[in-house]
Amino acid sequence: MHKRSNSMEQVDPDEVKLGDTHKHPLGIIMLYIQVGVGMVFAIGLAYFLLPRVLEDTDTAFFIGNIFTIASVLVAFIVLTISTIIYKENRIIITDRNVTQVLQFGLFSRKVSQLNINNVEDVTAIKRGVLQTFFNYGTLNIETAGEQVNFHFSYCPNPDYFAKIILDAREQVLGQFANDDDAQTVKT
């Protein structure tokens, strides 16, 4: 997919990109496993039941082969589309903004941008053995007021990205504090 020059995903020339990540591959691997198990079960069931229903075993196995080819083709298409959609989810962190891109379907996407000044709290959550062992989890970015909070599941190394966001927030708040001090001294 191509990037447009006026997209919120683009980093402005005066911004510094601090981090950029896509979702952890383990999230899509679980879908691959589910589809694989479902296919094995469906194809096995077809080859087991068709010879019992049809009297001609050659016809039964021909229909079973057609069913197998169709199942593999459909599974391949579904997994390809799912992988494309999954890989388009990302979070971009700059010294001034956090941009979250959520792809819901081939033609459904949500891009949200949050100014680093509006970040109230950042939490990295890892639950369970898989998340701890493979170092992924959920990155929650909480905002002040009525702005929508960001929840980025399957975030690789969420502790690292939480620290980047909090450090950027501290940097911006420190600049505001220094600006206030400079204005106080001038008056």
Side-chain angles (χ1 to χ4, degrees):
M1 302 212 165
H2 65 84
K3 306 274 190 250
R4 292 179 293 275
S5 61
N6 61 353
S7 173
M8 283 196 305
E9 295 177 57
Q10 297 297 314
V11 176
D12 292 335
D14 58 340
E15 284 184 276
V16 177
K17 188 185 231 183
L18 303 175
D20 182 358
T21 189
H22 295 270
K23 289 192 173 197
H24 195 279
L26 198 62
I28 196 73
I29 289 172
M30 297 305 229
L31 178 66
Y32 280 51
I33 291 170
Q34 290 172 344
V35 168
V37 168
M39 278 184 43
V40 167
F41 182 72
I43 292 169
L45 197 59
Y47 279 112
F48 176 75
L49 291 179
L50 280 173
R52 298 192 191 294
V53 173
L54 299 174
E55 292 180 20
D56 183 15
T57 56
D58 290 338
T59 305
F61 282 112
F62 177 75
I63 294 171
N65 289 339
I66 297 294
F67 177 76
T68 300
I69 291 169
S71 297
V72 168
L73 185 62
V74 168
F76 178 76
I77 291 169
V78 166
L79 288 176
T80 301
I81 292 171
S82 298
T83 302
I84 291 168
I85 292 169
Y86 187 81
K87 286 186 171 196
E88 286 298 313
N89 290 282
R90 64 192 289 202
I91 195 160
I92 304 162
I93 305 162
T94 69
D95 60 339
R96 293 190 301 171
N97 296 304
V98 177
T99 305
Q100 182 180 34
V101 180
L102 297 176
Q103 189 80 31
F104 300 110
L106 282 177
F107 307 108
S108 177
R109 140 185 245 163
K110 177 182 175 186
V111 180
S112 304
Q113 194 168 55
L114 174 66
N115 190 298
I116 208 82
N117 295 333
N118 296 327
V119 172
E120 286 295 314
D121 190 30
V122 181
T123 307
I125 302 168
K126 293 182 195 174
R127 291 192 176 121
V129 176
L130 285 178
Q131 290 186 7
T132 303
F133 186 73
F134 289 106
N135 195 20
Y136 73 94
T138 302
L139 183 66
N140 289 329
I141 304 169
E142 296 178 19
T143 61
E146 296 189 19
Q147 290 181 319
V148 176
N149 295 335
F150 285 8
H151 302 283
F152 192 67
S153 60
Y154 291 101
C155 179
N157 201 359
D159 304 324
Y160 172 75
F161 289 104
K163 176 103 171 87
I164 288 175
I165 295 168
L166 289 173
D167 288 349
R169 180 178 175 265
E170 291 297 320
Q171 183 74 24
V172 168
L173 291 178
Q175 288 174 355
F176 284 141
N178 290 341
D179 289 346
D180 290 343
D181 291 342
Q183 289 177 357
T184 305
V185 172
K186 289 181 184 179
T187 55

